[in-house]
Amino acid sequence: MSENVGDWSPEELEKNGHLLLSQLREHFTTLRTQPVTTTRSAQEIRAVIDEPLPTAPQPFPEILRQTWDDVRPNLTLWNHPRFHAYFSNSSSGPAILAEMFTAAMNVNVMLWDAAPAAAAVELTVLDWLAQMVGYPVAQDSVLVDGASLGTLYALAAARERLSGLDIRQQGLAGRDLPRLRIYASDQTHSSVDKAAITLGIGLDNVVRLPAGPTGRLDPEALRAALERDVRSGHRPLAVVANVGTTSIGAIDPVEEIAEVCAAHDTWLHVDAAYGGFWRLAPEVRPLLPDLSRADSVVANPHKVLLSPMEAGALFCRHRDALTNTFRVVPEYLRTRHEDGSVDFMNYSLQLGRQFRALKLWWLIKTFGVAGLTSRLSAAAALADGLRARARAHPDWTVENDSPFPLVCLRHRPHDRDLDDEETDALNRRVHRAVNDAGTSFVSHTVLPTGYALRISIGNIHTTEADIDALWGELTAAAERCAAPRLTERSTL
Ligand SMILES: Cc1ncc(COP(=O)(O)O)c(C=O)c1O
């Protein structure tokens, strides 16, 4: 930039783009040698990053260098092959480049006229995604930033369909309305609570039914809760069922739950944020329920489908359920309609919207369903290998039974007499020791049996060598952490 007006010249964009891409090349080449996360404290990181508001222009190579030296090493690298925390996910090559293209065009997919081909790509991608999750009955669909907002929108649509209440128009306040109730297992994601807060349902009206050791919602307990509530004059709003719970990857009996919902004329929302796209893997597919009777489904390409944040898909079986909930068109947004045009601003709360569909379009086309399937199957096989190792070891147990590559492990030395509390403390220490070493990164959960290390496998770069390394670190950390116990029981 020679003057203080205008953007980079196209040549500068290309030159700086090359600089970035060659840095990314180095990043991916050396990825395995980089720590998965930082050991610096929050204060230290803020001190490194914080600086006065820049007044003078800075050269891009300098900004990139600072990003490389100060930001990148202080990230937690979700796209690292040894990142196994939360839900291990991926950002794949075509999707990375698609985000650059999208920003270059600065697409805004709010109205058909505002982004015609982008809306067309979104429609096609939504159709492909619905096929992949086994929900081809979808009539109303939209890409959202993630499952939390997808669930909020689905429950808003469910609320709108409750007959005789007209909440969209008349609101909730000051009216003599029955309590609206949402039912879910106690394993259901907290996004349902956030939706209840936002929609004026209230946390007290999220009926959390105990899932027990299987982690599954019991349809009979659900039926009893619905009957009890109806007798009390409450109004069932929706049931939320899971395909892949956050803690252990459990799958609710969706077909039986659908029966109960039908008997009570209650909306069934399925949270398949994690589990939905594993249907592509042939070894997982037979274990997944039929979703076709669900009223709405959320599934996250950004959890499983090799897509960077943010990409969630919301599907709804009822035509216009979303648009009847969210359509508000001020004068300045009134545009012509033609056959086949879609205004995505009417499908959620978002007006200005990124061209999220492009990264999905590019990656699905690049890998094809065959390539996606083999990558997901490879992750499932790696998890099987880890489970087999743990089962063969006298000091480790596999604590969950999930078809997904989500493995909950608990360490209990067979030759020591540890009670449950001591075993919990030992597992906490093993967890901390593995993550502090920086080579692999895992998270945890608390199960009826106690504290467990929770290992999610799903990054596109993860190979058998990474799982070998993880197993080596787990067993080495377990040995280190158990050792002082012999002399210092109280330090556990
Ligand atoms: C089962 C489940 N549902 C929903 C969510 C929320 O997803 P998002 O982060 O896309 O809002 C999560 C997040 O981990 C999850 O595990």
Side-chain angles (χ1 to χ4, degrees), residues 289-408:
D290 175 14
L291 302 182
S292 60
R293 291 182 69 190
D295 295 281
S296 54
V297 174
V298 286
N300 269 357
H302 76 210
K303 277 191 170 47
V304 175
L305 213 59
L306 318 180
S307 161
M309 306 294 288
E310 302 172 352
L314 167 61
F315 306 106
C316 188
R317 185 149 56 91
H318 310 283
R319 187 174 299 284
D320 298 333
L322 294 172
T323 49
N324 287 342
T325 307
F326 294 112
R327 184 189 289 112
V328 176
V329 188
E331 182 53 42
Y332 86 104
L333 295 173
R334 277 183 214 285
T335 52
R336 76 192 160 87
H337 281 273
E338 60 183 297
D339 203 19
S341 68
V342 170
D343 297 337
F344 274 108
M345 70 169 191
N346 293 329
Y347 287 70
S348 79
L349 287 177
Q350 243 190 313
L351 172 60
R353 303 171 69 251
Q354 271 184 5
F355 187 7
R356 289 195 182 96
L358 189 77
K359 58 189 170 188
L360 303 173
W361 203 52
W362 281 19
L363 79 85
I364 294 168
K365 286 163 76 70
T366 300
F367 298 125
V369 170
L372 293 170
T373 297
S374 58
R375 285 168 175 84
L376 299 195
S377 287
L382 291 176
D384 285 344
L386 180 63
R387 285 187 194 101
R389 283 175 144 171
R391 286 195 177 113
H393 196 292
D395 297 345
W396 289 89
T397 46
V398 178
E399 297 287 323
N400 66 327
D401 178 21
S402 173
F404 307 118
L406 177 66
V407 185
C408 298

Side-chain angles (χ1 to χ4, degrees), residues 1-2 7-18 60:
M1 244 184 314
S2 51
D7 194 7
W8 286 345
S9 68
E11 293 73 23
E12 279 174 304
L13 179 65
E14 186 182 17
K15 195 172 87 199
N16 291 330
H18 279 305
F60 181 72

Side-chain angles (χ1 to χ4, degrees), residues 26-27 100 115 142 144 156 184 193 210 237 242 250 306 312 314 332 361 368 388 439 447 459 474:
E26 188 200 317
H27 170 78
M100 194 189 287
V142 63
V144 292
D193 299 309
L237 166 64
N242 298 292
L306 318 180
L314 167 61
Y332 86 104
W361 203 52
T439 314
L447 303 172
N459 183 267
L474 286 168

Side-chain angles (χ1 to χ4, degrees), residues 140 179 197 277 317 427 445 483:
D140 246 17
R179 274 171 178 259
I197 295 167
F277 290 111
R317 185 149 56 91
N427 279 273
T445 187

Side-chain angles (χ1 to χ4, degrees), residues 55-255:
T55 47
Q58 295 178 5
F60 181 72
E62 178 52 28
I63 298 169
L64 184 58
R65 190 207 51 74
Q66 190 188 9
T67 310
W68 217 252
D69 294 348
D70 297 341
V71 177
R72 188 186 65 135
N74 292 310
L75 291 170
T76 295
L77 297 175
W78 282 64
N79 205 22
H80 194 295
R82 296 182 182 175
F83 178 98
H84 302 296
Y86 314 112
F87 283 123
S88 156
N89 61 17
S90 312
S91 182
S92 55
I96 294 169
L97 293 186
E99 296 230 317
M100 194 189 287
F101 176 92
T102 301
M105 300 298 128
N106 196 18
V107 184
N108 183 347
V109 200
M110 55 181 197
L111 287 164
W112 180 267
D113 273 355
V121 171
E122 181 157 347
L123 286 167
T124 296
V125 163
L126 282 163
D127 178 52
W128 292 350
L129 297 177
Q131 291 179 50
M132 289 184 204
V133 296
Y135 194 65
V137 292
Q139 297 286 333
D140 246 17
S141 315
V142 63
L143 289 177
V144 292
D145 65 354
S148 298
L149 286 196
T151 290
L152 170 70
Y153 299 146
L155 294 176
R159 196 182 67 171
E160 194 46 38
R161 272 174 72 97
L162 286 177
S163 59
L165 298 187
D166 194 21
I167 290 169
R168 175 185 146 115
Q169 190 60 37
Q170 300 180 44
L172 288 165
R175 298 175 68 197
D176 186 22
L177 295 176
R179 274 171 178 259
L180 305 181
R181 307 276 269 182
I182 299 171
Y183 307 82
S185 84
D186 58 6
Q187 296 301 301
T188 303
H189 191 262
S190 50
S191 49
V192 174
D193 299 309
K194 287 196 177 182
I197 295 167
T198 312
L199 293 170
I201 309 299
L203 290 173
D204 285 352
N205 293 308
V206 180
V207 181
R208 293 269 189 177
L209 298 163
T214 62
R216 287 155 59 91
L217 176 61
D218 172 6
E220 284 317 309
L222 172 66
R223 191 190 304 278
L226 280 158
E227 284 169 2
R228 214 169 30 242
D229 272 3
V230 171
R231 276 198 303 275
S232 309
H234 301 336
R235 188 87 186 260
L237 166 64
V239 172
V240 180
N242 298 292
V243 177
T245 57
T246 311
S247 171
I248 60 166
I251 300 169
D252 287 334
V254 174
E255 287 110 326

